[in-house]
Amino acid sequence: MNGTSTVERRSLAQRLDALPFTRKHGRVLGGSGIGWALDAMDVGLISFIIAALAQQWGIDKGQSGLIASVGFAGMAVGASLGGLLADRFGRRQVFAVTLLVYGVATGASALVGGVGLLLVLRFFVGLGLGAELPVASTYVSEFAPARIRGRLIVILEAFWAVGWTAAAVIGYFVVPASEHGWRWAFALGAIPAVYALVVRWGLPESPRWLAGRGRAEQAEAIVASFEAAGSRRAPSAAPATAPAPDAPDAPDAPAAPVAGAHAPASPSAPAAPVAVTTGGRLAALWSAEFRGRTLSIWVVWFCVNFAYYGAFIWIPSILVDAGFSLVRSFGFTLVITLAQLPGYAVAAWLIEVWGRRLTLSVFLVGSAASAIVFGTVHTESAIIASGMALSFFNLGAWGALYAVTPEIYPTSSRATGAGWAAGVGRIASIAAPLLVPVLLAAGGPGLTFTVFAVFFIVAAGAAWGLVDRRGAALDDR
């Protein structure tokens, strides 16, 4: 592969980090966020649809768990493959294809007449959505200026709350409205994918990825367009440097030069990509430099996925089993969902104040405490209050997790690292919906949500094995 010289790549990276937030950043964030919201809307809708199908088709909890889990199986495959493909073919192209797969499969789901075909289509829906999330976070992080990168990724993740709220609204007003309400819900979920696909193709490719592939002229043109949007001129001399990593993380910083570091670049000593082949990218995740980060991020992703999807997929059905009507349980879920937005807002502020690890661990501990309370209360007010707290802390933790994941890997394997972390997490999201009926039968909501709390605590501990790059430039090897 013919790479761009170290001087050129550093210049591009430093110029990106020196930019103010521009309307072009807004388009990147918004275009990516639409895909993110679609993912949340689909996951949210299936929880309402499962509750409706349990009454209309008479499916049991085992079949309900299978419907939920098969989508996550598709997500596990999609996340793992999507990251590899994005490092090979580019972020934008892979993102657009994932939305196309999602849209077709979701629209077709509205026409199914039995569980078998629904399971097949749910797998393909998951395949598209699973690849989309890690690619989106990688894409946005590579455009974001270093000083606000974490905050922008949390804002990107906040689109999840928008999508989940839309799902709750559709679930409350559309799903119970008629016998075919769940079909209309699927149809409504497919329509935005068309718009998202158009928007996505209108966005630029990551200049960091282009530079790493030796396409310097294209990367230069994109960076220059962002500078023009910010009323900035491209630097004619040495570009401004980004802040150095926090002192506690210095020993964990890469030995090779990092984009934005203060050491002078030298064309004779290039910062070579960590990997240039698919096998090399996978091997790099477990190299001496990255294996500690990889193990920690995989543990966090696994535990958070297990607790989050185990809880939120089943909340509407658990409330129905507790004696609330279908409409009333959907109403409770809608109110609980609204607490996601302030959770993201607080996390977006704290992540650039406290840093990634502390913010992530605090929100995970808050999630654990909320889960225990939610599993043991019985009054309407206590259910709503504890559910809102769980929603607040858990989604704030998700924002911090998506911010830190792409930052811990270099550009040449960033999407691969983020994709495989998400893929490992999806294994837990497959298992959780299947195990929840077993836990509910063994000890009811109290035992079930205590198990979720344990997973949150384990994730909080594992978060301290990650490198915190708050304010630091990305590693552009």
Side-chain angles (χ1 to χ4, degrees), residues 15-237:
R15 288 159 60 191
L16 284 169
D17 283 338
L19 284 168
F21 184 82
T22 69
R23 60 181 177 81
K24 283 186 172 290
H25 287 102
R27 287 188 62 195
V28 166
L29 184 62
S32 302
I34 292 171
W36 210 286
L38 289 173
D39 194 327
M41 188 166 69
D42 176 80
V43 175
L45 278 176
I46 201 64
S47 66
F48 294 99
I49 290 171
I50 285 173
L53 291 180
Q55 293 188 351
Q56 291 187 26
W57 288 1
I59 62 176
D60 57 28
K61 281 187 167 52
Q63 290 174 308
S64 297
L66 188 59
I67 291 172
S69 291
V70 73
F72 295 125
M75 288 182 181
V77 176
S80 302
L81 292 179
L84 287 167
L85 292 173
D87 278 334
R88 173 66 180 85
F89 298 105
R91 290 36 169 148
R92 184 183 67 171
Q93 287 87 337
V94 173
F95 198 0
V97 171
T98 64
L99 289 172
L100 181 61
V101 172
Y102 156 79
V104 172
T106 299
S109 298
L111 306 175
V112 300
V115 174
L117 183 55
L118 180 60
L119 290 174
V120 173
L121 291 172
R122 289 300 305 165
F123 178 83
F124 281 99
V125 169
L127 194 66
L129 293 180
E132 181 262 326
L133 291 185
V135 176
S137 59
T138 297
Y139 177 75
V140 174
S141 70
E142 290 182 346
F143 277 100
R147 65 190 178 280
I148 58 171
R149 185 174 60 242
R151 187 162 295 161
L152 290 186
I153 298 302
V154 178
I155 293 173
L156 171 68
E157 231 280 296
F159 278 88
W160 182 275
V162 175
W164 198 284
T165 301
V169 170
I170 295 171
Y172 183 73
F173 289 105
V174 177
V175 175
S178 69
E179 181 183 352
H180 298 293
W182 62 271
R183 296 184 188 274
W184 287 109
F186 273 136
L188 289 172
I191 292 172
V194 178
Y195 173 71
L197 189 62
V198 172
V199 170
R200 192 69 188 129
W201 275 115
L203 297 178
E205 182 56 86
S206 164
R208 295 178 189 268
W209 180 84
L210 289 169
R213 305 294 294 184
R215 294 156 65 176
E217 291 185 3
Q218 291 174 268
E220 166 63 33
I222 293 170
V223 174
S225 71
F226 273 72
E227 289 172 330
S231 299
R232 284 173 174 261
R233 296 174 58 188
S236 56

Side-chain angles (χ1 to χ4, degrees), residues 156-389:
L156 171 68
E157 231 280 296
F159 278 88
W160 182 275
V162 175
W164 198 284
T165 301
V169 170
I170 295 171
Y172 183 73
F173 289 105
V174 177
V175 175
S178 69
E179 181 183 352
H180 298 293
W182 62 271
R183 296 184 188 274
W184 287 109
F186 273 136
L188 289 172
I191 292 172
V194 178
Y195 173 71
L197 189 62
V198 172
V199 170
R200 192 69 188 129
W201 275 115
L203 297 178
E205 182 56 86
S206 164
R208 295 178 189 268
W209 180 84
L210 289 169
R213 305 294 294 184
R215 294 156 65 176
E217 291 185 3
Q218 291 174 268
E220 166 63 33
I222 293 170
V223 174
S225 71
F226 273 72
E227 289 172 330
S231 299
R232 284 173 174 261
R233 296 174 58 188
S236 56
T241 56
D246 292 344
D249 295 316
D252 197 32
V258 177
H262 294 283
S266 170
S268 61
V274 168
V276 296
T277 65
T278 298
R281 293 183 184 102
L282 290 173
L285 303 184
W286 294 99
S287 65
E289 181 178 352
F290 298 109
R291 67 169 65 107
R293 307 179 195 182
T294 297
L295 178 61
S296 296
I297 201 69
W298 282 20
V299 170
V300 177
W301 271 90
F302 186 91
C303 291
V304 173
N305 270 271
F306 184 92
Y308 174 77
Y309 287 109
F312 282 89
I313 287 293
W314 279 99
I315 281 178
S317 298
I318 290 172
L319 293 175
V320 170
D321 290 344
F324 296 103
S325 68
L326 188 67
V327 174
R328 195 163 184 77
S329 69
F330 285 3
F332 286 175
T333 305
L334 174 58
V335 174
I336 289 171
T337 299
L338 295 176
Q340 294 182 4
L341 283 171
Y344 284 124
V346 174
W349 175 64
L350 288 177
I351 201 164
E352 300 295 2
V353 177
W354 288 357
R356 281 62 163 143
R357 291 181 301 196
L358 179 58
T359 302
L360 176 57
S361 60
V362 166
F363 274 83
L364 287 170
V365 171
S367 299
S370 303
I372 291 175
V373 175
F374 184 84
T376 55
V377 297
H378 302 287
T379 64
E380 290 187 11
S381 59
I383 289 172
I384 292 175
S386 58
M388 291 180 72

Side-chain angles (χ1 to χ4, degrees), residues 443-473:
L447 172 64
T448 303
F449 280 83
T450 298
V451 171
F452 296 154
V454 171
F455 274 81
F456 282 132
I457 292 297
V458 172
W464 289 93
L466 304 174
V467 59
D468 194 322
R469 300 186 67 85
R470 173 170 59 100

Side-chain angles (χ1 to χ4, degrees), residues 420-450:
W420 274 75
V424 169
R426 296 304 183 186
I427 295 173
S429 64
I430 296 167
L434 296 174
L435 291 176
V436 166
V438 178
L439 294 172
L440 288 172
L447 172 64
T448 303
F449 280 83
T450 298

